[in-house]
Amino acid sequence: MDRIDFRSDTVSWPTPAMRLAMAEARVGDDVYGEDPTTNEMEALAAEMLGKEAALFVASGTMGNLTAILTHCRRGDEAIVGLDSHTFRYEAGGMASLGGVMPYPLPTDGLGRMALADVAAAVRVDDPHYPRSRLILLENSYGAKHGAPIPAGYFAAVRELADRYGLRVHLDGARYFNAVVALGISPKEIAGYVDSVSFCLSKGLCAPAGSILVGSAEFIHQARRVRKVLGGGMRQTGVLAAAGMVALTQMVDRLAEDHARARRLAWGLAEIPGLVLDPVLVQTNMVFFELAEAVTLPAGEIVQRLRTLANVWVDTAGPRRFRVVTHFWIDDNAVALFLETLHAILRNG
Ligand code: TLP
């Protein structure tokens, strides 16, 4: 990469193996169901998560929206974390395009809605209310330091959903980060939810795309919804070739990103003026804050890191930062970031 970019794992470039695979990809028209590489990737994704079928979509946002519009009718309600990506950062798509009403609930330190809150949010059948239809979950949970939520929570939500006749969709943008961190099979959590969408273009490094998995009937319906959203993309084999590399070569190595994020967090904790709890870092995200004594504005720190070392980080609040590790962040990048930030804070 041409910079040291910690702003997100979305910034990761395709790997050399991906570029090669893309150049040689066999392609066809995917709207006709004839793109061999896309078909191969969808079959592999479904198999990895233990679901019947899969659908390639353009982005994580499209994966979640396609799932919501497939599960819900207009006037249905989706119970969702107040700080989840789907509620906060997907432009209100479920409401604006689907007529689906979100019912946001607070989440705990790992990003879990309390089961009692979820149960209390379920509507009785009354013409005053929307119809409760869907529970939306996220794993790993971005707003809670990328926490990997253990499988037991999903088992409990499944039980609750079955009790009330609700569907469950998981925004698994970083699903493989979660399962690698938890040391479990990708089939386990997926087994408790009706659908999962996960991203190829974050830590897995593909240039674009996400995959939605679920039952054969669900994916059959989702294919129509994707078409409505303008997501019938023709020769997607070029992208799916990178996706195949992502699924076969890039999953296990996420553990390296997590270990590097932990080392980075412990390094930050040693710098005077920064506040964080490195123990919270379980996947590839590190959040930290400026101590009260620091007078330099966060925006100035961001600028100086760029100017001095071509290191790019993002703020996540007036005195808060988020840094994310990925394939293109190596130990030298971490060391340069720590050194430069230390110097900036020391010099004031
Ligand atoms: N997240 C991006 C930004 O939008 C914040 C990032 O840099 O983290 N679910 C989750 C949990 C996500 O973090 C994201 C992207 C999405 C869905 C949406 O994926 P895309 O960007 O592919 O639509």
Side-chain angles (χ1 to χ4, degrees), residues 7-10 59-62 64 85 89-90 138 140 142 171 173-174 199 201-202 210 285 322:
R7 288 174 301 167
S8 183
D9 45 11
T10 61
S59 66
T61 302
M62 183 182 255
N64 290 330
H85 196 279
Y89 298 126
E90 296 181 13
E138 181 177 319
S140 62
D171 172 5
R174 297 182 180 84
C199 293
S201 64
K202 297 192 166 59
S210 293
M285 290 185 182
R322 180 184 84 161

Side-chain angles (χ1 to χ4, degrees), residues 45-122:
E47 203 270 322
M48 286 172 82
L49 276 79
K51 292 291 192 201
E52 286 174 357
L55 184 69
F56 182 57
V57 293
S59 66
T61 302
M62 183 182 255
N64 290 330
L65 183 59
T66 302
I68 294 167
L69 300 192
T70 306
H71 285 304
C72 299
R73 289 175 293 163
R74 297 187 75 78
D76 283 354
E77 194 166 55
I79 298 168
V80 59
L82 190 56
D83 49 6
S84 68
H85 196 279
T86 313
F87 182 62
R88 264 196 186 169
Y89 298 126
E90 296 181 13
M94 73 174 97
S96 63
L97 298 181
V100 175
M101 181 153 143
Y103 191 141
L105 293 175
T107 63
D108 70 5
L110 293 186
R112 297 173 297 196
M113 297 178 278
L115 295 176
D117 289 351
V118 176
V122 179

Side-chain angles (χ1 to χ4, degrees), residues 203-227:
L204 301 184
C205 275
S210 293
I211 300 183
L212 179 62
V213 300
S215 70
E217 174 56 24
F218 171 80
I219 292 299
H220 177 69
Q221 300 298 339
R223 202 171 280 281
R224 177 175 284 107
V225 172
R226 182 186 69 173
K227 192 80 179 101

Side-chain angles (χ1 to χ4, degrees), residues 309-321:
N310 202 16
V311 168
W312 295 57
V313 302
D314 240 353
T315 52
R319 299 178 66 78
R320 198 158 183 252
F321 300 82

